[in-house]
């Protein structure tokens, strides 16, 4: 398995698909990288030579923010929002949806599994 930026990319898939295993690289960027590095996008990632892998690695280091650096940047952005107490930061802190979605129903991804609260069971009047 070839390694790029500390990530093993699959051998048996085309290069353009294998590059997507890196955090921050999607379909468009993967095609763009193949063109810039002069690599056939349909060639298998396991068939890449060392110089081609080196070209990809230097391109990624020089021109793009991917993997650990991107994760750190995103974490810092969220931390900044929390620190300045803006609306989005408060939503992040509380674990609620940040981008205006409804919370009365749905929102289970952010809120986690339901925490059922027992309802009142017919409290009788004591006379």
């Amino acid at each position: 398995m070839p390694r790029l930026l500390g990530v093993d990319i699959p051998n048996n898939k085309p290069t353009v698909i294998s590059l997507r295993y890196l955090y921050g690289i999607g379909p468009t960027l993967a095609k763009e990288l193949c063109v810039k590095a002069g690599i056939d996008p349909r060639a298998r990632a396991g068939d890449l030579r060392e110089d081609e892998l080196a070209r990809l690695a230097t391109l990624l280091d020089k021109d793009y923010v991917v993997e650990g650096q991107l994760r750190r940047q995103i974490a810092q952005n969220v931390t900044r929002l929390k620190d300045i107490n803006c609306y989005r930061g408060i939503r992040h802190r509380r674990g609620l949806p940040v981008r205006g979605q409804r919370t009365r129903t749905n929102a289970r991804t952010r809120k986690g599994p339901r925490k059922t609260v027992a309802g009142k069971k017919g409290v009788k009047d004591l006379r």
Side-chain angles (χ1 to χ4, degrees):
M1 281 188 154
R3 281 182 77 80
L4 271 176
L5 304 177
V7 177
D8 290 330
I9 59 175
N11 279 333
N12 55 347
K13 296 188 179 186
T15 306
V16 75
I17 304 294
S18 294
L19 285 174
R20 295 187 206 173
Y21 279 70
L22 295 169
Y23 185 79
I25 296 182
T28 307
L29 188 55
K31 288 175 192 168
E32 189 179 306
L33 279 169
C34 287
V35 170
K36 283 186 178 179
I39 297 170
D40 178 25
R42 291 171 293 164
R44 300 285 168 186
D47 299 337
L48 291 176
R49 297 187 310 270
E50 286 299 318
D51 65 317
E52 292 172 331
L53 285 171
R55 270 188 299 198
L56 277 171
T58 54
L59 259 175
L60 286 168
D61 280 340
K62 188 175 63 169
D63 297 336
Y64 301 100
V65 179
V66 290
E67 272 305 316
Q69 193 177 1
L70 180 59
R71 290 179 203 267
R72 247 187 322 280
Q73 193 176 49
I74 291 170
Q76 286 172 346
N77 291 343
V78 171
T79 305
R80 182 183 56 82
L81 290 172
K82 288 178 182 178
D83 290 344
I84 65 174
N85 277 334
C86 69
Y87 181 79
R88 285 173 53 203
I90 292 166
R91 303 296 283 185
H92 272 292
R93 201 177 302 135
R94 291 184 181 168
L96 293 169
V98 176
R99 297 187 177 178
Q101 297 92 333
R102 67 175 8 233
T103 56
R104 184 171 179 173
T105 60
N106 305 331
R108 292 278 44 120
T109 302
R110 285 294 305 209
K111 292 169 86 173
R114 283 188 176 84
K115 301 168 202 82
T116 307
V117 177
K120 293 188 176 181
K121 283 195 171 180
V123 179
K124 296 183 179 176
D125 291 327
L126 299 172
R127 292 186 189 175

